[in-house]
Amino acid sequence: MSLADWEPVIGLEVHAQLRTKSKAFCGCPVVFGAPPNTAVCPVCLGYPGTLPVLNREMVALALRVMTAMDCTIHERSIFARKNYFYPDLPKGYQISQYDRPLATGGGLEVSAQGRTRRVTLNRIHLEEDAGKSMHEFPWDDVPGGVSLVDLNRAGTPLVEIVTEPDIGSAEEAFDYLGKLRRLVRWVDASDGNMEEGSLRCDANVSVRRKGETRLGTKIEVKNLNSIAHVKKAIEHEFERQVEELEAGRPLRQETRLFDPGAGVTKPMRSKEEAMDYRYFQEPDLGDVVVPPDLLDEVRASMPELPAPRARRLESALGLPAADAETICSARPFADYYESAVAHHAENPKAIANWLLSDLLGRMTDADRLAGRVPLPAAHLAGLVRRIDDGTISGKIAKELLPELIASGKSPDALIDEKGMKQVSDEGPIRDAIAAIVNANPKQVETYRSGKTATFGWFVGQVMKATSGKANPAVVNRLLKEALEG
Amino acid sequence: MTPAEIEALLDGPATALAAAVNAGAVPASELVERALERAARERERLGAFLALTPETARRQARDVARRVAAGEVLPLAGVPLAVKDNINVAGEPSTAGSRILAGFVSPDDATCVARLVAAGCVVVGKANCDEFGMGSSNENSAYGPVRNPWDLSRVPGGSSGGSAAAVASSAAALAIGTDTGGSVRQPAALCGLVGWKPTYGRVSRYGLIAYASSLDQAGALARSVRDAAVAFSVMAGGDERDSTSLSSRVPDVLTGLEVGCEGKRIGVLVEAGAEAGGLHEDVKASFEAAARLFSAKGATVVPISVPRVPLAIPVYYLVATAEASANLARFDGVRYGARVDAPELSSLYRKTRSQGFGAEVKRRILLGTFALSSGYMDAWYGRSMKVRALLSRDFAAAFREVDAILCPTSPEPAFRLGEKTGDPLSMYLADVFTVPASLAGLPAISVPAGFSKEGLPIGMQLIGPHDEEPLLFSLARVLEAGTHASERRPPAP
């Protein structure tokens, strides 16, 4: 027996923080990194007598995610209380959705190991976040053994996106999370930042022998703080579970924590210790009602989604699939590209090449996500146009790039200013060639004796004499005439 | 005004007192001092108050004086108000009768308090109550019981026992309480007062310390139907801070208050008569007399059955306790109120809640937790919610036959302190006639309708369809005018 006889079955539960201005059920601002317990009020502190009031913006942003994932959106859904005690949960229950979530079904297309398939969703529901408990501190004045609670995050609006046990490999899970993160950002619903916790993932992993259809014992893995950790944790869990089963040790349903340092999972609690959340309908809030016209409004305001947009760039503009995918990795980045193409529609491929090589290489990941390209789209288009119409050579263009970026000047202005306009007039080029031929009789004789490989040397001399501005095509033609006469 | 005239004003209806203040006949600042003296007296004598609020009262009295001087006419100008201690008043303690909230000071006013204060009320104190509103005798207050001003050896009812005792003893002209299963109506009945609960959602719950959110409503206790109706007209209305509050137009309860009952169909609740073993004979006599009175005044009185009324108590004690088990989870000693320190988290929770909650609260938390537990949820909470829906349907069917339903508020007059404390089930049955309207979200009012042979007040309850408060207040007025029961006051201290 070996790993090859087994397959993992994975389900992911992703919490995405919605980019609302205020919290889910009170007027407090949603902030990250503010001093502890400064973005709080009696409502999110769970003071006696306070009541939650639903933030409509939360519903509107959640509907964007649900629409993007092609879910069935229910006109009526209800909130439920999820009951458990923890110091960072001020009310002693979390307002969530349980048996009647806002959306069910839907899915997301993923690609892994050369295979593209659709991961199906079980549901997407609304809920509020808890605060943060802190057990280690950078401050000297906190005595050891003390835990402190920051409730700034308490009441932050979330959607929980739950897949079916439908993911067949760690690679697929990795791609799903990347695509999901891109999508929630794409529709302006979430920052999707796992490091800041605005996107969080728990994985349910079981294994079964290939060919088996029944599900194995489910192990829930928590504390997955990056997409890479999710992949690692699943790979580890797969191997661990197979090892246990092959050694004849049956698995018990439990929750485990991923230790990123060691790359392994460790037991957290078993099924016997599992929480009974005692869900019941939240009596402080009415039904969540999504009237058809609100849904129409959301649909009308949706941008073209990344997958169809990449396919359109491929088919309509002839981009290679990989380039289209990279351009569609973030909506502002794709918008930049298409804006450049709008300025110079004749050569989308060249614009893509410039963007993905010369420009992307000078950008951080954050720049790409924000579409912060160091050159205005019109200038990139202008640069490619001047190459295409022979005003400058590609080589000159590359030389110009740093100054284009630094100065913010338009390509035409900079070409003019620096006199970089390519020379295509035959007169001055002929003069330069004549001078070089006259000054280098030996080289001319070598060439004429058949060593035509020295042609490049002559081209270089001419370019040098014309400060690189001579049109290379014209130089080639006239040089050939002169040498082969 | 002479001191005696001022005292008479404080003994009289709130509306008469407000008229005198509006007319400039008596300064609000003078009234508030006399009212605070009375509240201090009844705090000592009856245990009616957990805290007096002199600074708040004086500030509010100054505001009233300023507004009246500027020509404003306030419906409740200068009226001394007692606020049940599970309702928030800004800057004042709210313990809800529990040790676990000892030291907690509320940051803001409950919406109903803010509305009453804007209408001229002056908050003189926080009234004693059963812990978190859980009780029918006020004996579940962590801070001691309340005595019934009609007979100091008897309970005032509960859970708004302090509110009822304060108004019955004229320490306040008006009080507000919360009514989850009868906690305003039953003490009103036992203390000879008018007490109402509105259609669910008609009065904002913002600022009420939640017991059972789908049942909790604020209501008022007053010495006359008119006072009670004015309080309704002030307190009612939508509130953007309470999503379950009704934004529809508030029904006008004042214009038609004196229209009488001619042509109305009044249903005498069959299930109340069937409560033969439990119904006190004097209550039974008042019940029959009330039916005769309505008939004599031109109403058509018919028997009406609401068949699932006998199921209301078990359903109530599952639904209310289930919600309470969640609502009371926030009292964990972490952020406010009392904390019993411990070296680690679970024992901090355990100690704080073990020492902070009283026996009845613990009983209900356990019952509610059980009703929601995995494996039991469908059988207990789930079925209760189904029966609750069926009970509402029963009422809807009944209201196709009659305009309002008449039944006693409580099966018996005020019982003795300690009489039922050893037997929770018999205590729960004190709510047998009030709980059905709560479960169905219906408006209901208790109005004095007579006295027992021992001289204890007896209250009758009128239950109406949603938003039929105008009808209920006008029918209550018929009983009030016909029985003269509101005119008798308890013995003076």
Side-chain angles (χ1 to χ4, degrees):
Chain A
M1 281 290 168
S2 73
L3 281 179
D5 300 322
W6 296 82
E7 62 180 11
V9 178
I10 302 152
L12 296 177
E13 293 171 11
V14 172
H15 288 90
Q17 184 179 316
L18 296 170
R19 289 179 48 179
T20 54
K21 286 182 280 298
S22 55
K23 290 185 180 179
F25 301 112
C26 66
C28 287
V30 174
V31 292
F32 180 80
N37 300 308
T38 54
V40 293
C41 73
V43 176
C44 58
L45 291 175
Y47 267 46
T50 58
L51 295 169
V53 175
L54 175 62
N55 177 354
R56 307 305 309 185
E57 194 191 6
M58 173 190 193
V59 178
L61 291 183
L63 289 174
R64 294 177 72 79
V65 177
M66 293 160 180
T67 305
M69 298 188 82
D70 203 21
C71 299
T72 304
I73 293 165
H74 302 285
E75 191 171 339
R76 250 169 215 284
S77 64
I78 61 177
F79 282 107
R81 291 184 182 176
K82 177 179 181 179
N83 296 285
Y84 65 94
F85 282 99
Y86 207 67
D88 61 23
L89 188 70
K91 297 186 294 295
Y93 56 83
Q94 178 190 27
I95 302 178
S96 180
Q97 295 193 298
Y98 185 56
D99 51 1
R100 287 180 58 191
L102 179 52
T104 50
L108 191 61
E109 203 166 81
V110 299
S111 309
Q113 297 150 311
R115 198 166 68 113
T116 293
R117 55 180 288 275
R118 188 176 163 85
V119 168
T120 55
L121 295 187
N122 174 283
R123 55 149 62 197
I124 301 182
H125 71 244
L126 304 172
E127 64 184 30
E128 61 174 339
D129 209 342
K132 277 182 189 161
S133 296
M134 297 179 286
H135 310 291
E136 285 162 29
F137 309 96
W139 314 299
D140 301 333
D141 56 346
V142 181
V146 162
S147 293
L148 296 177
V149 176
D150 176 10
L151 294 173
N152 282 351
R153 204 180 66 181
T156 298
L158 304 176
V159 279
E160 182 172 344
I161 303 162
V162 183
T163 73
E164 295 290 354
D166 193 33
I167 298 169
S169 67
E171 290 76 13
E172 246 179 44
F174 185 84
D175 192 58
Y176 169 80
L177 285 173
K179 294 259 169 68
L180 179 61
R181 181 171 63 179
R182 173 177 74 172
L183 196 62
V184 296
R185 286 171 169 166
W186 192 275
V187 300
D188 299 320
S190 173
D191 294 333
N193 192 328
M194 281 190 93
E195 287 67 34
E196 286 182 5
S198 57
L199 200 73
R200 299 196 289 274
C201 177
D202 298 332
N204 291 311
V205 183
S206 65
V207 299
R208 63 184 171 199
R209 282 176 204 281
K210 282 183 179 163
E212 176 73 71
T213 51
R214 245 170 0 124
L215 292 172
T217 304
K218 181 178 85 175
I219 308 290
E220 183 177 10
V221 186
K222 287 181 176 288
N223 195 37
L224 303 170
N225 296 322
S226 73
I227 295 184
H229 285 181
V230 175
K231 183 164 177 269
K232 239 193 192 157
I234 292 171
E235 284 165 349
H236 164 76
E237 234 350 84
F238 175 49
E239 288 171 24
R240 186 189 71 82
Q241 291 182 27
V242 169
E243 212 174 282
E244 291 293 304
L245 292 173
E246 294 210 333
R249 292 189 290 270
L251 296 165
R252 292 186 323 156
Q253 195 172 320
E254 63 174 342
T255 301
R256 299 176 71 87
L257 285 182
F258 181 62
D259 174 351
V264 300
T265 64
K266 293 172 177 171
M268 178 183 164
R269 59 172 176 248
S270 70
K271 193 193 174 188
E272 290 72 43
E273 306 164 273
M275 305 272 218
D276 179 0
Y277 292 119
R278 306 190 311 278
Y279 286 98
F280 73 103
Q281 179 166 356
E282 165 56 279
D284 286 335
L285 293 165
D287 294 0
V288 183
V289 180
V290 179
D293 55 333
L294 172 61
L295 209 49
D296 290 345
E297 218 172 277
V298 170
R299 288 199 179 110
S301 73
M302 290 292 282
E304 183 186 14
L305 294 178
R309 190 165 179 177
R311 282 196 292 273
R312 178 173 58 79
L313 296 186
E314 262 185 82
S315 60
L317 303 182
L319 297 190
D323 286 2
E325 188 63 28
T326 308
I327 286 169
C328 291
S329 60
R331 182 150 73 101
F333 193 57
D335 287 348
Y336 173 92
Y337 170 72
E338 292 214 64
S339 162
V341 169
H343 281 98
H344 180 59
E346 290 78 3
N347 201 346
K349 277 189 177 173
I351 290 175
N353 287 339
W354 275 87
L355 179 60
L356 297 182
S357 54
D358 299 274
L359 292 171
L360 190 54
R362 295 164 196 261
M363 289 161 59
T364 64
D365 210 38
D367 289 338
R368 175 180 57 81
L369 292 174
R372 269 194 311 267
V373 183
L375 203 58
H379 292 182
L380 172 59
L383 189 66
V384 174
R385 168 175 289 132
R386 290 305 164 236
I387 301 165
D388 288 351
D389 69 10
T391 306
I392 54 174
S393 65
K395 186 158 176 290
I396 292 283
K398 294 212 183 206
E399 281 171 29
L400 277 179
L401 190 60
E403 202 170 342
L404 266 180
I405 292 169
S407 69
K409 288 173 183 159
S410 76
D412 283 355
L414 200 65
I415 290 164
D416 263 2
E417 186 185 306
K418 301 194 61 108
M420 299 296 258
K421 202 162 186 160
Q422 186 162 267
V423 177
S424 300
D425 285 356
E426 294 188 7
I429 297 175
R430 277 187 206 281
D431 291 349
I433 290 171
I436 287 161
V437 168
N438 288 336
N440 298 286
K442 259 191 180 166
Q443 279 81 353
V444 173
E445 200 175 312
T446 311
Y447 180 88
R448 286 181 176 154
S449 71
K451 296 202 170 158
T452 54
T454 58
F455 188 73
W457 181 84
F458 285 100
V459 173
Q461 294 301 307
V462 177
M463 295 308 283
K464 204 165 159 187
T466 58
S467 314
K469 287 179 288 185
N471 183 329
V474 178
V475 171
N476 278 358
R477 178 166 54 78
L478 295 183
L479 198 56
K480 263 198 177 126
E481 277 176 27
L483 291 173
E484 291 167 15
Chain B
M1 236 178 213
T2 65
E5 284 171 322
I6 291 179
E7 295 299 333
L9 213 49
L10 289 167
D11 286 333
T15 36
L17 187 150
V21 172
N22 280 323
V26 56
S29 56
E30 178 65 25
L31 269 176
V32 73
E33 295 304 329
R34 300 290 81 76
L36 286 167
E37 284 167 14
R38 287 176 169 224
R41 185 187 72 210
E42 301 306 347
R43 180 189 197 179
E44 284 301 310
R45 188 175 73 107
L46 304 176
F49 292 96
L50 295 180
L52 301 184
T53 54
E55 284 173 30
T56 295
R58 290 184 183 119
R59 192 187 65 246
Q60 290 166 342
R62 280 196 300 275
D63 280 350
V64 169
R66 188 177 42 75
R67 292 171 65 193
V68 167
E72 274 190 76
V73 175
L74 306 172
L76 294 168
V79 169
L81 175 73
V83 176
K84 188 179 182 179
D85 203 37
N86 64 350
I87 302 176
N88 290 333
V89 174
E92 300 292 352
S94 283
T95 69
S98 181
R99 263 193 301 274
I100 210 162
L101 273 174
F104 176 72
V105 173
S106 175
D108 55 6
D109 278 330
T111 300
C112 61
V113 169
R115 286 177 187 236
L116 286 164
V117 168
C121 279
V122 171
V123 178
V124 292
K126 298 300 298 289
N128 201 347
C129 60
D130 283 304
E131 189 175 359
F132 290 107
M134 298 179 183
S136 308
S137 69
N138 216 110
E139 292 164 294
N140 295 335
S141 167
Y143 303 102
V146 177
R147 293 173 186 279
N148 190 320
W150 293 87
D151 177 347
L152 301 189
S153 70
R154 292 177 188 270
V155 303
S159 63
S160 310
S163 297
V167 178
S169 65
S170 296
L174 195 67
I176 50 174
T178 56
D179 187 313
T180 306
S183 282
V184 164
R185 290 163 286 159
Q186 186 255 15
L190 270 47
C191 288
L193 301 171
V194 180
W196 53 264
K197 80 158 282 275
T199 300
Y200 184 83
R202 185 49 78 195
V203 175
S204 169
R205 288 187 296 117
Y206 190 86
L208 274 55
I209 299 179
Y211 157 23
S213 313
S214 74
L215 297 156
D216 293 343
Q217 282 292 290
L221 300 98
R223 292 192 294 266
S224 76
V225 172
R226 178 166 291 276
D227 286 357
V230 171
F232 174 86
S233 66
V234 169
M235 292 163 72
D239 179 7
E240 59 182 26
R241 293 194 292 182
D242 175 5
S243 308
T244 64
S245 70
L246 298 168
S247 55
S248 54
R249 206 175 55 84
V250 176
D252 173 7
V253 295
L254 295 174
T255 306
L257 193 58
E258 305 291 340
V259 296
C261 63
E262 205 163 328
K264 298 297 177 200
R265 288 178 67 81
I266 294 178
V268 175
L269 184 68
V270 173
E271 286 73 18
E275 193 75 18
L279 201 55
H280 188 282
E281 63 177 278
D282 296 343
V283 173
K284 192 159 177 276
S286 285
F287 184 24
E288 287 161 5
R292 282 196 302 276
L293 175 65
F294 279 120
S295 188
K297 297 291 178 189
T300 305
V301 177
V302 296
I304 189 78
S305 172
V306 182
R308 290 186 184 84
V309 157
L311 297 176
I313 287 284
V315 166
Y316 173 80
Y317 278 95
L318 288 164
V319 172
T321 58
E323 292 181 18
S325 72
N327 281 331
L328 271 57
R330 70 186 62 196
F331 305 111
D332 57 7
V334 173
R335 281 147 296 129
Y336 46 72
R339 171 195 294 181
V340 183
D341 267 313
E344 44 93 29
L345 183 63
S346 60
S347 56
L348 181 143
Y349 282 154
R350 199 161 46 242
K351 286 184 176 169
T352 297
R353 289 169 67 83
S354 295
Q355 295 177 33
F357 289 136
E360 182 60 27
V361 172
K362 286 179 199 163
R363 178 160 32 239
R364 295 194 194 190
I365 290 173
L366 286 172
L367 184 55
T369 303
F370 173 73
L372 291 173
S373 293
S374 169
Y376 300 96
M377 166 105 180
D378 292 342
W380 298 111
Y381 180 76
R383 277 174 76 193
S384 295
M385 290 299 278
K386 282 181 191 146
V387 177
R388 183 181 184 181
L390 292 172
L391 177 68
S392 289
R393 238 190 270 174
D394 280 3
F395 271 112
F399 287 127
R400 284 192 287 273
E401 308 288 322
V402 296
D403 297 312
I405 294 170
L406 175 72
C407 67
T409 309
S410 161
E412 59 182 328
F415 42 91
R416 292 190 186 280
L417 283 156
E419 189 180 325
K420 295 180 196 280
T421 43
D423 182 0
L425 281 181
S426 80
M427 187 75 91
Y428 292 175
L429 289 173
D431 300 330
V432 63
F433 298 134
T434 49
V435 156
S438 297
L439 287 170
L442 299 171
I445 187 166
S446 177
V447 58
F451 288 86
S452 72
K453 294 187 192 76
E454 294 169 293
L456 297 169
I458 291 170
M460 282 302 129
Q461 180 179 221
L462 289 151
I463 304 170
H466 289 121
D467 288 332
E468 289 292 348
E469 281 91 350
L471 171 72
L472 293 186
F473 279 105
S474 65
L475 293 178
R477 182 71 193 106
V478 171
L479 268 184
E480 182 180 57
T483 65
H484 304 284
S486 293
E487 290 163 20
R488 210 196 294 181
R489 300 315 321 159

